[in-house]
Amino acid sequence: EKGNYRHFMQKEIFEQPDSTARTIGAYVNVLKQTVELPGENGHAIDWNDVTSLHMIACGTAHYATRVAEYWFEQVAGLPVKTDIASEFRYREPALPKTGGLALFVSQSGETADTLAALRYCKEKGLKTAAVVNVPTSTIAREADLVLPTLAGPEIGVASTKAFTAQLSALAAVAIAAGRGRETLSRDAEIRLGKALTQLPRLISSTLALDERIEKLARDIAKATDVIYLGRGVHYPIALEGALKLKEISYIHAEGYASGELKHGPIALIDEDTPVVFVAPFDGLFDKSLSNLQEVAARRGEVILISDEAGLRAAADAPAHRIELPDCDPFVAPILYSIPVQLLAYHVAVEKGTDVDQPRNLAKSVTVE
Ligand code: F6R
């Protein structure tokens, strides 16, 4: 049931304060201020035995693993490899004989390539875990350990609340890994756990930007190409923003690491090319700002998604500004997913596409 919403996708975007809170609640013990992985009684993964982490998924779920890659390296010092399932399964990847953990991420738990990659890893003797939204799915049944996302059923073909639930679960798993490997202090565990617990409230305030983004969408809907740029953990959010826009609005979009701008995509910039910067005021902001100024100097239409400090620092270089609340940099990629979803949604509505059932796409890709 869509209730008062026009589309399931819109309803699911607006459900994210609840869907993330439910997911985070399954991992963060607020009273003890610890992160505990559900379903493993604290012992199933011995993080000290894990020497490498392989994360495998498709599409939006793959972008969740690309964000998590930064988290695992940062808080757990764990070597990570992320892969698209359809690539992984056919290239005879070199896998460690011992100590390898393979982590699969899937909303449906039925994606053919992801399932095949899971079976391949089991055959090779790796320990397997799966972040899945459908608990009765094949991937959930076959993985050694299930790490649930509690997004609830997702109807819109374009993934929204499943993505932020995947990120929430993966953030918690990274914290648990950091504790297990003793790379994360007790204080840091408490801080990151708190940042996660406070996130749903920040998502609520970010959803209040809906009207502002709807107005902006009228402008973006005229474009034929849109570029999304981000750095660090926000690079995969740029990739996800571009994917969301292209799949539901059919506007061609590309996501790039901001630092790659000079290495090619800057040639595309002209006054008709909107460039969306996903850039909170963090340690990398200055770098993004110089990229932003390069785009503005070439009369590109800059949209800056940032916070108060970031928008102040950018002065009048961006043509459009979206101001998010301040948040802990650790959870920022989850929060910054919201405006890119809203932008794609409103551009698609403006273009009059079938938002919940975009052409050529299926909710669950059970054939390769
Ligand atoms: C994009 C989207 C797809 C899925 C991908 C994997 O909005 O929904 O890219 O993320 O097909 O699906 P799951 O997560 O079910 O394995």
Side-chain angles (χ1 to χ4, degrees), residues 58-61 105-109 111 114 157-159 166 243-244 247 365:
C58 300
T60 287
V105 180
S106 176
Q107 186 285 125
S108 63
T111 301
T114 310
V157 163
S159 187
Q166 286 160 354
L243 174 63
K244 219 86 299 177
E247 65 182 334
V365 184

Side-chain angles (χ1 to χ4, degrees), residues 85-351:
S86 57
E87 285 298 313
F88 177 86
R89 65 181 287 201
Y90 291 120
R91 72 181 159 73
E92 297 187 30
L95 296 170
K97 289 209 169 51
T98 56
L101 172 64
L103 180 61
F104 300 84
V105 180
S106 176
Q107 186 285 125
S108 63
E110 302 295 347
T111 301
D113 283 319
T114 310
L115 176 59
L118 165 66
R119 288 176 176 162
Y120 179 89
C121 286
K122 284 181 80 171
E123 229 174 80
K124 297 285 172 193
L126 265 75
K127 188 169 177 62
T128 59
V131 173
V132 276
N133 196 45
V134 180
T136 52
S137 62
T138 315
I139 290 174
R141 278 201 313 273
E142 295 194 14
D144 297 328
L145 174 71
V146 176
L147 299 162
T149 51
L150 304 178
E154 191 179 62
I155 311 292
V157 163
S159 187
T160 53
K161 64 173 181 170
F163 178 64
T164 50
Q166 286 160 354
L167 290 175
S168 301
L170 288 166
V173 179
I175 297 170
R179 190 189 52 226
R181 292 165 62 79
E182 292 173 30
T183 50
L184 190 68
S185 69
R186 178 71 187 124
D187 282 356
E189 183 187 1
I190 294 173
R191 177 178 69 83
L192 300 182
K194 255 198 200 134
L196 273 174
T197 311
Q198 290 166 355
L199 175 70
R201 194 174 43 80
L202 296 176
I203 293 180
S204 292
S205 0
T206 301
L207 287 167
L209 295 167
D210 187 50
E211 267 180 51
R212 163 90 189 80
I213 295 176
E214 186 178 7
K215 274 202 202 101
L216 169 63
R218 285 181 211 142
D219 199 43
I220 308 299
K222 295 180 201 128
T224 49
D225 306 274
V226 179
I227 295 173
Y228 287 74
L229 299 174
R231 275 182 188 262
V233 283
H234 296 281
Y235 164 36
I237 301 305
L239 296 173
E240 169 63 5
L243 174 63
K244 219 86 299 177
L245 187 75
K246 64 190 134 190
E247 65 182 334
I248 61 169
S249 77
Y250 316 146
I251 293 176
H252 171 239
E254 298 282 349
Y256 275 100
S258 305
E260 279 288 292
L261 187 65
K262 282 195 180 69
H263 300 282
I266 198 162
L268 296 170
I269 306 296
D270 60 21
E271 56 270 39
D272 300 320
T273 314
V275 182
V276 180
F277 280 87
V278 184
F281 193 74
D282 58 15
L284 296 172
F285 183 82
D286 280 353
K287 305 277 173 202
S288 300
L289 182 57
S290 59
N291 300 131
L292 188 156
Q293 286 157 342
E294 284 156 10
V295 172
R298 286 162 184 81
R299 311 209 351 255
E301 185 181 358
V302 172
I303 296 113
L304 174 59
I305 305 176
S306 188
D307 44 29
E308 194 188 350
L311 292 171
R312 197 181 323 117
D316 53 10
H320 308 279
R321 316 132 167 277
I322 305 288
E323 184 179 331
L324 267 61
D326 289 340
C327 76
D328 190 295
F330 185 72
V331 298
I334 314 180
L335 190 66
Y336 280 67
S337 303
I338 309 298
V340 298
Q341 294 170 351
L342 285 171
L343 184 61
Y345 172 74
H346 286 298
V347 171
V349 170
E350 180 70 21
K351 296 208 75 175

